[in-house]
Amino acid sequence: MSFILHRTEKPDLAQLGQRLAEDPRQAARWALAAASAGELEAQALLGQLLLDGLGIQRDAALARDWFEIAARHGHAMASNMLGRCFELGWGGPVDEAAAARHYRTAAEHGLDWGMYNYANLLATGRGVARNEEQALAWYRRAAGLGHAKSMNLVGRYYEEGRVVRADPQAAFACYRRSAEAGDFRGQFSYATVLMSLGRWDEARHWLREALALGHLKFLRKARDELRQAAIAEVADLAEAYARRCAELETVAS
C-alpha cells in the first residue's frame, strides 16, 4: 500500500487507529506522509508519535516542531501539547509563559485539557499572574465538558472554601462525578468523604479503584494520608497502598 497522499485526500482516522494497534511503524509512515501533505490531524498525530516513540524513533524536538505546525493552523490539541512541551521541557527549554499562551489558545478553542492545564498555571502563578478566580472559572468550564480531573479540583475549591464559599455538599457532588468519570484523585477524594460519613463499603470500593489507577507520586501521598488517619476499617487498604508503592519503586529503580 502506498503512503503517498495528495492534498485533496483525507486520512481515515479509524483505519489509522487499527494500524497503530497492528503495526505502529506502518501507521507512523502513514502519518508522516499525510502530515507532509498538509493534513492537520496527521500533523498533530505525528507530533504525538514522535513524542512517545511509537512506530518511529523518539524525537521530542521534532515532535515540538510538528505540534507547532498544527497549532499554527488552529489545531486545539496540538496547541495543548505544545504547551506541555514548553511546560515540561520536552524537546527544548522550559518556558512557562509560552506554555500558558498555548494552553490558553487550546482552552479558547474549547479543549477541556487546554482549560485544565491553563487553570493549573493560573492557580499556581507559573508563567502567568496567579489568579485563582480565573483558574476556578476554567476548571468549571472543563468540568462542564466532562473533564474528570477538573471536577475533582472544583470539588477541592468548594471543600476548602477558596474563592467560593465552602460548600461540603457541592464538594461531595463534584468528587462523586470525578470518581465516576475515572479520575483516581477524584476517587480518593470521594472515598475520604465517604469515610467521614461512615459509608465504609463504598469508601473501600473507591479506594481500590484509586489504587488500581494511580501513579507512584499520588500513591505515596495517599498511603501516607491513610496511615496517618489510622482508621481500622481501611487499615488493610493502607497497607495495600504501601505494597503498591514498593512495587512501583522497585520497577523505577
Side-chain angles (χ1 to χ4, degrees):
M1 179 181 292
S2 172
F3 291 94
I4 299 175
L5 299 183
H6 300 292
R7 287 186 179 273
T8 56
E9 293 182 297
K10 294 291 184 183
D12 184 337
L13 297 181
Q15 184 184 31
L16 179 59
Q18 183 178 351
R19 286 180 181 173
L20 277 171
E22 296 175 352
D23 189 341
R25 290 185 179 181
Q26 184 186 55
R29 290 195 298 272
W30 185 95
L32 178 59
S36 299
E39 174 54 49
L40 191 60
E41 288 292 339
Q43 290 168 351
L45 176 62
L46 181 59
Q48 192 65 56
L49 296 179
L50 285 161
L51 190 64
D52 295 338
L54 182 60
I56 195 169
Q57 183 174 344
R58 186 178 185 278
D59 189 331
L62 189 55
R64 185 186 285 212
D65 290 342
W66 279 108
F67 287 139
E68 186 171 6
I69 291 168
R72 195 182 305 137
H73 291 89
H75 195 284
M77 183 55 83
S79 293
N80 179 68
M81 290 307 300
L82 187 55
R84 292 288 283 169
C85 289
F86 278 112
E87 182 185 3
L88 300 174
W90 294 340
V94 169
D95 185 338
E96 291 180 336
R101 290 195 300 272
H102 291 295
Y103 287 151
R104 178 162 187 164
T105 296
E108 290 175 343
H109 276 81
L111 182 69
D112 55 355
W113 276 104
M115 296 172 190
Y116 168 78
N117 287 322
Y118 184 49
N120 284 343
L121 296 190
L122 284 165
T124 54
R126 290 180 293 122
V128 66
R130 184 177 180 184
N131 189 321
E132 289 214 84
E133 290 84 359
Q134 287 187 18
L136 177 57
W138 283 112
Y139 284 136
R140 279 174 164 163
R141 286 184 63 178
L145 294 173
H147 192 265
K149 291 183 180 296
S150 294
M151 295 172 193
N152 178 57
L153 288 169
V154 173
R156 186 67 52 80
Y157 276 89
Y158 278 117
E159 181 179 9
E160 298 177 358
R162 288 162 40 213
V163 180
V164 293
R165 187 187 301 275
D167 186 336
Q169 289 186 333
F172 184 72
C174 289
Y175 290 152
R176 179 172 183 170
R177 288 180 62 213
S178 178
E180 292 175 345
D183 178 53
F184 54 83
R185 289 189 177 89
Q187 291 164 351
F188 190 82
S189 298
Y190 187 44
T192 59
V193 178
L194 290 168
M195 286 190 290
S196 72
L197 299 174
R199 292 163 60 174
W200 300 112
D201 288 344
E202 293 171 89
R204 289 176 60 83
H205 166 76
W206 290 111
L207 287 174
R208 286 192 292 267
E209 291 292 308
L211 173 61
L213 296 175
H215 54 56
L216 180 56
K217 182 178 178 181
F218 159 78
L219 292 171
R220 284 171 172 161
K221 186 173 185 293
R223 171 201 63 195
D224 294 344
E225 289 183 13
L226 289 171
R227 281 180 164 176
Q228 289 169 11
I231 299 171
E233 288 82 354
V234 294
D236 61 321
L237 284 170
E239 292 313 304
Y241 273 71
R243 288 193 299 273
R244 181 58 178 157
C245 287
E247 291 171 1
L248 293 176
E249 287 163 351
T250 299
V251 171
S253 62

